[in-house]
Amino acid sequence: MNSLFAGHDRGGTSLLLRGAPGVGKTALLDAAAVRAADVGMRVLRASGVEFEAEMNFSALHQMLWPLRRHADRLAGHHRDVLDRIFGLAPGLSPDPLAASTAVLALLGEVTVERPLLMIADDMSWIDRASATALGFVVRRISDDPVVFLAAARTGTEGLWRQLRLPVHEIGPLAAQSAAELLDARWPGLTPTVRRRLLAEAAGNPLVLRELPAALSSRQRSGRDPLPALLPLFGRLEAVFASAVERLPAPTRTVLLVLRCTPPPTWPRFGRPRRIPRASTTSPWRSRRTW
Ligand SMILES: Nc1ncnc2c1ncn2[C@@H]1O[C@H](COP(=O)(O)OP(=O)(O)O)[C@@H](O)[C@H]1O
Ligand SMILES: [Mg+2]
């Protein structure tokens, strides 16, 4: 973040934050917006959402709406195009080049006043028309005081991938930070429950914050046992579902079969006497060691 803002008033720069759902991408974008406002930058923001992904210029509309009055200072043909993007004038959706050059002209006009931070969250849901125009702009900001900061889930596709933005991978929290976050949000967990939650969350801040809410207060305090599979709901489901979606089909099938096997039957097999060695000849050889 420091290096991103170091030369913000000189030349343009861009960065894509990539990571699993719930890992903290949006939280980092929020922090960047606060930092940018503190150093006097203008902040424009849009976020891709699934139900607007097919709606031309919806993300651009969201991002540029605060600038609509500045469009009055532009040449008539740019103003006309922007008015159609904003829905302020009738007419067909503008063509990609006309839209992109109008957006570039608008940004050129406002960056004379102060540097700009453009934030595009959940890039994979941003509509194609907006993504094209944003891509056009990002490729032309090298001499302008503009920072373009985007975020996308690992493994998602979209036109934005062709932009080849510099990527910063957002990984899980370190063990110490994860424990601090859990303790701050959920003080008073018994050690067994706390250990289990830290293991299941694997450093994901969303899981650390929300998973304990899915347990009863008796489970959190250790008076009732935890279920073999902890319940998921809302955004938590997305965290785990997206990890499963990226697995190969045979692995998903094995997981599904395991999920359908009632956990109480598992202990019947007992523990292996020693860890089976991987077989190079037959997948069944290792069974003899059990
Ligand atoms: N480093 C962190 N420390 C504490 N809470 C965090 C941290 N990063 C994210 N969170 C919290 O975790 C939740 C998920 O973060 P979010 O930024 O929405 O994830 P993403 O955008 O990657 O899906 C939010 O409630 C957020 O406030
Ligand atoms: Mg997010």
Side-chain angles (χ1 to χ4, degrees):
M1 199 88 83
N2 286 338
S3 57
L4 192 66
F5 288 110
H8 70 271
D9 49 352
R10 295 190 293 275
T13 173
S14 57
L15 184 68
L16 173 71
L17 306 179
R18 193 167 59 193
V23 80
K25 301 179 296 298
T26 301
L28 281 169
L29 296 179
D30 293 344
V34 171
R35 172 84 70 91
D38 283 349
V39 297
M41 296 177 81
R42 186 194 301 275
V43 180
L44 298 175
R45 194 162 180 164
S47 182
V49 281
E50 189 172 3
F51 59 85
E52 287 186 9
E54 303 292 324
M55 198 187 290
N56 275 353
F57 296 116
S58 53
L60 217 48
H61 182 282
Q62 186 187 10
M63 187 177 274
L64 301 182
W65 182 251
L67 302 182
R68 62 193 179 282
R69 299 200 199 297
H70 293 75
D72 293 345
R73 302 185 206 154
L74 301 179
H77 62 292
H78 287 324
R79 206 169 53 231
D80 171 56
V81 166
L82 288 167
D83 279 351
R84 278 188 281 151
I85 290 175
F86 291 138
L88 298 174
L92 295 174
S93 188
D95 79 77
L97 184 62
S100 303
T101 49
V103 171
L104 201 57
L106 179 64
L107 298 181
E109 180 67 33
V110 299
T111 49
V112 171
E113 295 170 356
R114 53 193 167 122
L116 180 65
L117 170 64
M118 299 170 77
I119 294 179
D121 199 358
D122 287 324
M123 277 295 277
S124 39
W125 290 122
I126 283 188
D127 62 276
R128 193 180 174 84
S130 297
T132 306
L134 288 174
F136 183 93
V137 167
V138 168
R139 283 159 47 78
R140 285 162 180 78
I141 55 171
S142 55
D143 293 328
D144 298 308
V146 177
V147 175
F148 180 79
L149 188 55
R153 280 186 191 183
T154 307
T156 50
E157 295 297 326
L159 194 63
W160 56 273
R161 287 180 76 96
Q162 293 167 19
L163 272 176
R164 300 194 188 286
L165 296 171
V167 174
H168 183 76
E169 297 284 350
I170 311 295
L173 295 178
Q176 172 77 24
S177 308
E180 281 170 16
L181 177 56
L182 184 66
D183 293 342
R185 182 88 172 81
W186 298 95
L189 296 171
T190 58
T192 323
V193 174
R194 182 175 176 274
R195 260 198 310 279
R196 171 86 184 274
L197 289 171
L198 286 171
E200 298 263 357
N204 185 300
L206 178 70
V207 180
L208 287 163
R209 291 174 68 105
E210 303 300 327
L211 191 53
L215 303 177
S216 69
S217 59
R218 290 184 62 85
Q219 286 171 328
R220 283 196 295 271
S221 63
R223 280 173 291 161
D224 284 349
L226 294 184
L229 298 167
L230 298 184
L232 301 177
F233 58 85
R235 286 186 67 195
L236 281 182
E237 239 174 336
V239 174
F240 293 96
S242 78
V244 172
E245 276 160 13
R246 290 199 302 277
L247 296 172
T251 314
R252 288 206 306 264
T253 307
V254 170
L255 284 176
L256 188 63
V257 171
L258 284 175
R259 174 64 184 87
C260 295
T261 308
T265 65
W266 293 356
R268 212 157 40 87
F269 296 108
R271 293 170 65 85
R273 283 194 300 280
R274 60 191 175 88
I275 305 293
R277 277 192 313 171
S279 163
T280 50
T281 51
S282 156
W284 305 110
R285 246 184 66 184
S286 62
R287 297 181 77 195
R288 293 192 206 120
T289 62
W290 288 68

